Amino acid sequence: MVTHVSAEAQGDERGALLAFIEEQRGGIRRALLGLTEEQAASRPSASELSLSGLLKHVAEVEQGWIARARQEPPAIQRDASNWHETFLLVEGETVESQLAYWEKVAAETEAYIRSVPSLDDTFPLPDQPWFPPEGRVSVRWLCLHLIRETARHAGHADIIRESLDGATAFELVAKEQGTSGG
């Protein structure tokens, strides 16, 4: 753990889950600190992933899951023809615009999670081949999934950033906080 997640009020499971999602978002945001658009779009490791692509992907995925929970279509429909764009900024998209979009998505996530009557409430999974037929998941599962998804990509972001300029997650936390850690 690079940052400490503050203890929530006793028994505040929603608060704890949301705090862990936010902690992982922070790892991806910090990986972009001080980079140019070109650096953020570069692919310095063996992977095809870039920091700006990861940013776009996690924001889009988070928005899509909250939309599914609300039983609405995701804001951006993806299929084989445009799947590659989920990891690539396209015309008019910038790191700044994607960060602003993700901030909006994060606020919507928090509002939704805090508004559902119970974390045990369920919603149907889409009719897609990678989901079980007639599958349902709980809002709790959704929160845990968002933690897992975001943490996985925060780890990717750490590797990409360190490959770019040697900056480690601990150094980026210190930079964000205006201290000289490392």
Side-chain angles (χ1 to χ4, degrees):
M1 177 177 4
V2 177
T3 58
H4 179 74
V5 177
S6 297
E8 71 286 353
Q10 186 67 27
D12 180 14
E13 184 180 10
R14 290 172 205 247
L17 292 167
L18 289 166
F20 275 94
I21 294 169
E22 180 55 29
E23 175 205 23
Q24 296 306 314
R25 287 185 197 116
I28 294 172
R29 285 192 308 263
R30 280 188 296 278
L32 290 153
L33 281 176
L35 296 181
T36 65
E37 291 288 333
E38 293 75 26
Q39 289 171 312
S42 69
R43 299 171 176 164
S45 68
S47 170
E48 288 293 314
L49 298 173
S50 70
L51 291 171
S52 58
L54 285 172
L55 169 63
K56 180 177 179 176
H57 174 73
V58 294
E60 199 172 291
V61 165
E62 183 173 332
Q63 189 284 326
W65 274 107
I66 296 304
R68 285 182 191 98
R70 291 179 172 154
Q71 299 183 47
E72 301 169 355
I76 300 167
Q77 297 292 324
R78 294 285 178 204
D79 58 31
S81 70
N82 66 1
W83 176 251
H84 68 284
E85 290 179 2
T86 188
F87 287 101
L88 177 68
L89 299 190
V90 295
E91 190 173 325
E93 294 177 334
T94 64
V95 169
E96 184 178 343
S97 71
Q98 291 300 301
L99 286 168
Y101 176 68
W102 200 17
E103 186 176 330
K104 178 180 160 243
V105 168
E108 290 171 3
T109 297
E110 180 154 350
Y112 175 75
I113 299 304
R114 292 198 184 278
S115 73
V116 293
S118 171
L119 292 173
D120 294 326
D121 288 357
T122 64
F123 60 93
L125 293 172
D127 182 17
Q128 296 171 324
W130 46 87
F131 293 124
E134 299 182 31
R136 294 184 74 82
V137 293
S138 69
V139 175
R140 180 180 292 102
W141 180 94
L142 168 61
C143 290
L144 294 168
H145 179 72
L146 289 176
I147 293 166
R148 175 181 67 178
E149 174 80 12
T150 310
R152 180 172 187 251
H153 292 311
H156 293 142
D158 286 343
I159 292 167
I160 294 168
R161 178 61 190 255
E162 195 166 350
S163 296
L164 273 171
D165 64 5
T168 67
F170 289 105
E171 292 165 342
L172 293 169
V173 167
K175 183 177 183 171
E176 179 184 54
Q177 295 174 350
T179 63
S180 62

